[in-house]
Amino acid sequence: ILILIFFIFANFYIVIAKKGFWKSIVLSKKLVSRDYLATLSLSIVLLVLSKFAGMLPDFLANLVSFVVLIPLTFLVMTRFVLSFERK
C-alpha cells in the first residue's frame, strides 16, 4: 500500500499536463518523493473526512461527499500538481 502513494498524482499529470502514461507515473513519483509527508498527510486528511461523512445518514453523506469532498479532493490535488510544476 505504501508503494501506491507514488502513483496518486499520475491521473492528474495525464489530464493537466497532457503527459503520456509513463511520463505521468515518473512525474508523480518525483512529486511524492519530494513532498512525501505532505502527500501522506493530505491522503490521511481526505480519508478521515470521507470516513466522517460516511457516519452521516445516507442522504446527507452522499450530499456532503458529492458536493464538498469530491470537488475538494480534485481541487487540492490539482493545486498540488500545479504548484510542483511551477518549481
Side-chain angles (χ1 to χ4, degrees):
I1 290 183
L2 291 176
I3 294 173
L4 293 177
I5 197 168
F6 290 102
F7 303 112
I8 197 168
F9 295 108
N11 291 337
F12 292 91
Y13 275 112
I14 288 174
V15 173
I16 295 170
K18 294 182 175 57
K19 304 292 183 186
F21 177 75
W22 295 112
K23 183 70 172 176
S24 67
I25 290 175
V26 170
L27 289 171
S28 178
K29 183 184 176 296
K30 284 182 185 178
L31 172 59
V32 174
S33 296
R34 195 190 85 193
D35 291 326
Y36 183 77
L37 288 178
T39 305
L40 185 62
S41 300
L42 175 66
S43 298
I44 290 170
V45 167
L46 292 172
L47 177 69
V48 168
L49 288 174
S50 174
K51 292 297 179 183
F52 279 139
M55 295 187 330
L56 297 171
D58 286 340
F59 175 75
L60 194 56
N62 286 336
L63 186 66
V64 168
S65 290
F66 289 115
V67 173
V68 178
L69 292 180
I70 293 173
L72 179 68
T73 301
F74 283 106
L75 287 172
V76 169
M77 293 187 134
T78 301
R79 194 69 174 145
F80 211 79
V81 168
L82 291 175
S83 68
F84 181 74
E85 285 288 312
R86 287 189 203 133
K87 294 179 183 178

